[in-house]
């Protein structure tokens, strides 16, 4: 199980929350430690997580989660409601940068994501969540690349891909249905022609009394059957389909 899946299961699921996204981070600047602070819990990994409640009305929040060295569990630390987020700073809009800042009403953090792509994905989810769950006051996104704010986000791309796939499948089914319809019409026309020919041959008389032209006519009828119905009937027992045998 990945770290993000474990965080979702351990931290958010028990509170009936759903984690939308997370990014592993470390501080760009060292945090000042109070002089009186003694001891510590050692090295740790930090994750910034975005989650929403399953119960209505839906509430979104940003949570700082840590995993300390030597432990397989995760610990919830600071948490802010999404309404408290005032600014999201992407640092550099002209390149893929892993650095970013988050400004809340009562806190300000400077982070570096594990990778630039992970930061980009988290920003896209965060921007989409703000647009959906904050109808009034939304945070300001500054120094962010256009792919985060525009229609090229992974969420829009995924939706476009699904829509395109559905349209292609529907078009293929329609085309296949049209081809089958034309094939059925053509088969029905040839079937009717064969029946009419069989009735005419029956009125003329047995093959031995009709001479070579009538025999050739029956051979033509047999050829027509095999071309139109190659997989129908038992060709070993009789070269003619049941409706022609009945007519004969």
């Amino acid at each position: 199980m990945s770290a993000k899946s474990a965080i979702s299961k351990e931290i958010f699921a028990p509170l009936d929350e759903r984690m939308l996204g997370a990014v592993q981070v470390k501080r760009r600047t060292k945090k000042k430690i109070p002089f009186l602070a003694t001891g510590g819990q050692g090295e740790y990994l930090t994750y910034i997580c975005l989650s929403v409640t399953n119960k209505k009305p839906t509430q979104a929040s940003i949570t700082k989660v840590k995993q300390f060295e030597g432990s397989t569990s995760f610990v919830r630390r600071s948490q802010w409601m999404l309404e408290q987020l005032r600014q999201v700073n992407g640092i550099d809009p002209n390149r893929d940068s892993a650095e970013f800042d988050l400004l809340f009403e009562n806190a300000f953090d400077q982070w570096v994501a594990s990778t630039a792509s992970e930061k980009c994905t988290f920003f896209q989810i965060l921007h989409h969540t703000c647009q959906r769950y904050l109808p009034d006051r939304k945070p300001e996104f500054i120094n962010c690349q256009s792919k985060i704010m525009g229609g090229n986000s992974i969420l829009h791309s995924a939706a476009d891909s699904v829509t395109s796939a559905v349209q292609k499948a529907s078009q293929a089914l329609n085309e296949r249905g049209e081809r089958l319809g034309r094939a059925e019409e053509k088969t029905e026309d040839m079937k009717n022609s064969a029946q009419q020919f069989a009735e005419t041959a029956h009125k003329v008389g047995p093959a031995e009394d009709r001479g070579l032209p009538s025999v050739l006519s029956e051979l033509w009828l047999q050829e027509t059957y095999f071309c139109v119905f190659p997989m129908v009937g038992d060709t070993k027992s009789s070269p003619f389909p049941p409706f022609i045998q009945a007519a004969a």
Side-chain angles (χ1 to χ4, degrees):
M1 180 184 297
S2 67
K4 294 178 183 179
S5 297
I7 292 174
S8 177
K9 182 178 180 181
E10 294 180 24
I11 300 297
F12 298 103
L15 299 178
D16 197 22
E17 295 181 9
R18 177 165 47 94
M19 191 177 80
L20 302 179
V23 56
Q24 182 181 337
V25 297
K26 62 180 180 180
R27 291 186 180 278
R28 291 210 313 275
T29 57
K30 292 184 178 181
K31 186 177 182 180
K32 293 182 179 181
I33 301 176
F35 177 75
L36 296 177
T38 58
Q41 294 177 283
E43 297 294 327
Y44 55 83
L45 299 177
T46 303
Y47 297 86
I48 303 298
C49 308
L50 178 64
S51 64
V52 294
T53 59
N54 291 321
K55 293 182 179 179
K56 305 294 183 180
T58 303
Q59 293 184 331
S61 60
I62 296 177
T63 306
K64 186 189 302 180
V65 175
K66 292 186 177 182
Q67 182 184 34
F68 291 93
E69 186 178 20
S71 175
T72 57
S73 61
F74 297 87
V75 181
R76 182 192 295 260
R77 289 306 196 193
S78 306
Q79 185 177 47
W80 300 269
M81 300 306 296
L82 194 59
E83 292 87 348
Q84 295 178 285
L85 182 62
R86 292 291 173 259
Q87 187 183 87
V88 179
N89 190 342
I91 306 299
D92 193 339
N94 300 317
R95 65 184 181 90
D96 292 331
S97 170
E99 300 178 348
F100 68 95
D101 296 341
L102 296 179
L103 175 63
F104 297 93
E105 286 182 351
N106 57 352
F108 174 68
D109 284 323
Q110 297 177 313
W111 301 108
V112 179
S114 58
T115 64
S117 61
E118 188 176 8
K119 166 202 162 181
C120 181
T121 300
F122 181 75
F123 269 34
Q124 289 173 340
I125 298 174
L126 178 59
H127 182 262
H128 176 78
T129 304
C130 290
Q131 298 300 313
R132 180 175 181 181
Y133 295 108
L134 297 180
D136 299 323
R137 187 175 181 180
K138 297 179 176 61
E140 181 185 19
F141 282 75
I142 64 172
N143 299 323
C144 296
Q145 293 177 299
S146 58
K147 62 183 178 181
I148 295 175
M149 313 296 293
N152 295 327
S153 70
I154 55 173
L155 298 174
H156 291 96
S157 297
D160 292 342
S161 298
V162 172
T163 302
S164 177
V166 171
Q167 291 176 344
K168 290 180 180 179
S170 178
Q171 182 179 356
L173 287 174
N174 290 336
E175 292 177 354
R176 184 172 182 270
E178 291 176 0
R179 290 196 300 269
L180 289 174
R182 290 194 297 268
E184 289 177 356
E185 292 177 358
K186 187 174 182 180
T187 301
E188 185 65 25
D189 292 341
M190 298 186 72
K191 175 183 174 182
N192 293 334
S193 298
Q195 286 179 324
Q196 294 176 0
F197 191 89
E199 292 175 358
T200 302
H202 177 71
K203 293 177 180 179
V204 172
E208 57 270 18
D209 298 332
R210 298 198 305 269
L212 183 58
S214 297
V215 174
L216 291 177
S217 297
E218 287 188 358
L219 291 176
W220 175 87
L221 182 60
Q222 178 182 352
E223 240 180 71
T224 302
Y225 169 70
F226 283 129
C227 291
V228 179
F229 307 97
M231 301 298 294
V232 180
D234 185 1
T235 56
K236 294 182 180 180
S237 59
S238 174
F240 298 100
F243 63 82
I244 295 182
Q245 295 180 40

